[in-house]
Amino acid sequence: MRRLRFLPLLWGLAALGGCALFVSRLTPPRLSIVNVRVRRADFWQQRLRVRVRVRNPNDLGLAVRSVSYVLDIDGQRIATGICAEGFTVPAHGTAEFDTQVTANVAGALLTVLVQGRRRPVHYRLTGRVELAHGWLRSLPFDERGTFTLQ
């Protein structure tokens, strides 16, 4: 009787172990800024089009529902946003998307924009990729790199 008491617990553990076999371990995608185009800039507001490349290091394609991000340029928080248009990144492949960024950082960003036409600009892009389906629905990312303005 005493042994039967632990039987449901053992079944539960076996079921969880079996589910773990079906949940693939996804490596977070790698995001990088391809280019940044200044759409309009004045002292109070800057409008940028940022092209982002997503690299999928996994054996499975990623059906992306949305990407939420924070963009820091030269150590300064410039923008936060969401790309809510879904897309698919093939297994071991890449996909790109555009996002419109409006920054309200007077003066300092204008300096970065002017200098960015002459030298590479350092950025940090952090956030989460939200997946359309699967057991794992959200993958974090934290990427650094450089770009030049176009």
Side-chain angles (χ1 to χ4, degrees):
M1 211 43 166
R2 191 170 242 188
R3 289 183 189 172
L4 292 177
R5 184 170 73 172
F6 293 107
L7 196 55
L9 177 64
L10 290 175
W11 281 339
L13 289 175
L16 286 176
C19 289
L21 294 175
F22 296 111
V23 177
S24 62
R25 293 182 184 253
L26 292 177
T27 302
R30 304 289 312 249
L31 282 79
S32 59
I33 294 178
V34 176
N35 65 42
V36 176
R37 293 186 185 271
V38 179
R39 292 295 186 203
R40 194 177 90 212
D42 58 32
F43 186 74
W44 301 109
Q45 189 176 69
Q46 300 77 38
R47 293 182 191 265
L48 311 170
R49 183 190 61 82
V50 179
R51 182 115 179 125
V52 179
R53 178 175 295 131
V54 182
R55 288 186 180 93
N56 179 4
N58 297 291
D59 294 331
L60 301 170
L62 296 177
V64 176
R65 185 179 52 159
S66 66
V67 178
S68 58
Y69 61 89
V70 174
L71 175 61
D72 296 336
I73 295 179
D74 281 345
Q76 186 173 357
R77 172 95 11 113
I78 298 300
T80 61
I82 295 175
C83 173
E85 294 181 25
F87 57 92
T88 300
V89 187
H92 300 290
T94 62
E96 294 183 359
F97 67 90
D98 290 323
T99 185
Q100 304 301 316
V101 173
T102 301
N104 295 309
V105 183
L109 181 58
L110 280 177
T111 302
V112 169
L113 293 177
V114 170
Q115 291 176 356
R117 295 191 188 278
R118 295 188 299 260
R119 66 169 177 82
V121 177
H122 297 275
Y123 72 86
R124 181 177 182 200
L125 189 63
T126 59
R128 301 190 83 68
V129 173
E130 302 295 330
L131 301 178
H133 49 37
W135 287 87
L136 189 61
R137 291 291 181 115
S138 182
L139 298 171
F141 60 88
D142 185 347
E143 303 292 340
R144 297 171 194 267
T146 60
F147 65 85
T148 53
L149 291 174
Q150 297 182 350

